Amino acid sequence: MNVLLLGSGGREHALAWKLAQSPLLGTLYAAPGNPGIGHHAALVPLPLSDQAAILDFAREAEIDLVVIGPEQPLVEGLADTLRTAGIAVFGPSKAAAQLEGSKGFTKALCDRANVPTAAYAAFTNAAEAKAALPRFGLPVVIKADGLAAGKGVIIAISREEAEAAIDDMIGGRFGSAGASLVIEEFLEGEEVSLFALSDGKTVVALGSAQDHKRVGDGDTGPNTGGMGAYSPTRALTPELEARVMAEIVRPSIAGMAEAGMPFTGVLFAGLMLTAQGPKLIEYNVRFGDPECQVLMMRLDEDLLPLLHAAATATLEDRPIRWKDKAALTVVMAANNYPDTPETGGAIRGVDIATANGAQVFHAGTRAEASGLVAAGGRVLAVTALGDSVAEAQAAAYRAVDSIDFPTGFCRRDIGWREIARG
Ligand code: AMP
Ligand code: GLY
């Protein structure tokens, strides 16, 4: 099978690494890719916004499956363009990608499908939104409706802060993403993620994870795309996972099919484990980054037939096989991330880290004549397996410490929550 993998981050490097191990693989192409992905795939310089060019390439290269990594092209309808031309695609249609692209859409689905989630109301008018605030108590959560690169969520601890957030969003700080907003009840509990594969009808659980969104040790400082993650998390016990599948994921997939927007691809459920049971915080319509890195390390079967089955409505309803191991990934970021990361800094020692059993997934790197340099905010995702999260953490940090990246930094406490469970 010839596969075209789209994206250029650590998530896509992990997918490329795993796909490259498949005996069913013909040629793996990746666009636009990165130097790490280039170890496993032929890189093609196609921008993800150019749907016509991607379709032309897929036809020319006789691609049997396109795997779309990031959300933006999904929300723009790339999967529809390819599918209409008869090409199998792993990733949802534009309509189904609204599960990530519109908070209001997801909330309406939760209402229809009876999915437990925070109480909410949607607004396009600032005065009406402000008038509704007292119903929600404090803290209160204000969210831009559309994609806002992870920055469209404000947890306001005072009424003034909530009103300022409403003015900001309706006032256009997030562009059209904020022209409508959602006010939500604040949920208390531990946050976990569950991934699920779906072909539109059949759904199978694809593992749990927890990530660290804040930039600093002890979960301090501004939010980022994710500074590290581990899988599985014991916070999501098998019983809770079964409940999430039964009460949240399956009804959502069924509700999407009923609405004529069957969801194919990977559904990433962000969940709060509240005193009243698991509640949905949000859906993403793609693998998490860096959650994908830890899932791929643990997956104990061929990824390619799974993705192909999801893309072609032939997914089997059976449990996925996992290594009896934990995986943990530490993101090495460029100094000053998430603000204005310092790019161009030299990176050495990746080979040594890899030789010691860790996988170093490239997230934002560039190959120059002088060697590998940083080319983004998150630069590397250093990932290792262990018999426990504590052992995986030790192995990952051993690998981190063998990498020489003077203009970068990482958190030193990835996995602390899981390790504190004893
Ligand atoms: P989102 O972009 O929807 O994932 O929100 C970003 C982060 O804000 C989540 O990962 C949660 O930590 C937090 N968050 C979002 N919604 C709520 C909520 N209703 N209650 C508490 N925390 C929330
Ligand atoms: N790590 C969170 C995300 O991929 O959205």
Side-chain angles (χ1 to χ4, degrees):
M1 238 186 285
N2 294 332
V3 178
L4 172 62
L5 170 65
L6 299 177
S8 59
R11 164 180 53 210
E12 288 78 20
H13 187 183
L15 292 171
W17 170 78
K18 190 67 188 172
L19 287 171
Q21 297 168 37
S22 173
L24 302 174
L25 183 68
T27 304
L28 178 60
Y29 299 91
N34 69 34
I37 296 170
H39 289 136
H40 310 290
L43 300 186
V44 200
L46 294 169
L48 299 192
S49 55
D50 193 343
Q51 298 192 4
I54 291 170
L55 176 58
D56 282 348
F57 177 81
R59 283 185 168 136
E60 263 165 46
E62 299 180 0
I63 297 296
D64 301 294
L65 175 68
V66 178
V67 178
I68 304 179
E71 62 275 16
Q72 191 69 40
L74 293 167
V75 169
E76 289 167 3
L78 177 58
D80 308 68
T81 300
L82 294 164
R83 228 171 252 141
T84 305
I87 296 166
V89 184
F90 181 79
S93 66
K94 179 174 184 163
Q98 290 178 87
L99 282 177
E100 177 161 359
S102 165
K103 310 263 186 209
F105 177 90
T106 300
K107 286 298 201 181
L109 172 75
C110 290
D111 285 346
R112 286 201 309 279
N114 218 1
V115 169
T117 185
Y120 82 103
F123 300 93
T124 50
N125 173 294
E128 285 170 21
K130 287 180 196 172
L133 280 175
R135 296 204 322 253
F136 292 90
L138 288 171
V140 62
V141 185
I142 319 283
K143 300 186 176 183
D145 185 75
L147 284 187
K151 297 190 178 79
V153 176
I154 306 288
I155 296 175
I157 54 170
S158 68
R159 176 116 190 221
E160 295 69 47
E161 207 184 327
E163 293 194 347
I166 290 169
D167 282 333
D168 250 21
M169 282 184 198
I170 301 275
R173 179 149 151 241
F174 300 100
S176 59
S180 56
L181 60 77
V182 167
I183 302 182
E184 264 185 35
E185 160 203 16
F186 178 76
L187 297 176
E188 264 176 276
E190 185 159 352
E191 212 175 323
V192 300
S193 301
L194 181 68
F195 294 81
L197 271 187
S198 174
D199 65 357
K201 210 164 141 215
T202 302
V203 202
V204 294
L206 193 65
S208 67
Q210 272 181 309
D211 74 342
H212 295 262
K213 288 203 171 68
R214 303 298 194 96
V215 75
D217 281 11
D219 295 326
T220 54
N223 265 324
T224 69
M227 295 299 291
Y230 46 94
S231 172
T233 167
R234 285 177 294 164
L236 196 69
T237 60
E239 294 71 33
L240 280 174
E241 178 177 315
R243 239 180 113 176
V244 171
M245 289 300 289
E247 295 175 10
I248 298 179
V249 174
R250 286 183 202 283
S252 298
I253 295 290
M256 291 297 286
E258 272 163 32
M261 307 175 218
F263 181 91
T264 49
V266 58
L267 189 62
F268 166 178
L271 305 160
M272 195 71 88
L273 303 180
T274 74
Q276 297 84 43
K279 293 193 181 181
L280 180 72
I281 298 175
E282 62 155 3
Y283 279 131
N284 295 306
V285 298
R286 35 114 192 141
F287 281 105
D289 188 346
E291 289 89 338
C292 185
Q293 289 83 316
V294 284
L295 293 178
M296 290 306 114
M297 290 288 274
R298 287 185 53 231
L299 183 62
D300 201 20
E301 53 179 277
D302 190 345
L303 177 66
L304 181 47
L306 284 177
L307 300 187
H308 189 256
T312 54
T314 54
L315 194 62
E316 274 176 75
D317 192 358
R318 60 158 179 94
I320 307 263
R321 278 196 312 279
W322 300 99
K323 295 193 172 102
D324 192 16
K325 299 262 182 198
L328 182 138
T329 187
V330 177
V331 169
M332 298 181 81
N335 283 343
N336 212 27
Y337 174 73
D339 256 18
T340 328
E342 178 182 344
T343 56
I347 306 161
R348 293 184 201 86
V350 168
D351 297 349
I352 306 166
T354 311
N356 291 333
Q359 290 299 325
V360 180
F361 296 117
H362 292 220
T365 65
R366 194 170 59 233
E368 289 198 342
S370 60
L372 201 61
V373 302
R378 294 188 294 173
V379 177
L380 301 171
V382 183
T383 315
L385 288 171
D387 287 334
S388 62
V389 165
E391 285 186 22
Q393 184 197 54
Y397 279 111
R398 273 197 302 278
V400 164
D401 290 336
S402 66
I403 292 174
D404 178 24
F405 176 29
T407 62
F409 71 98
C410 67
R411 279 182 59 164
R412 297 299 310 188
D413 64 345
I414 300 303
W416 70 263
R417 235 185 226 98
E418 188 71 19
I419 290 164
R421 276 188 261 277

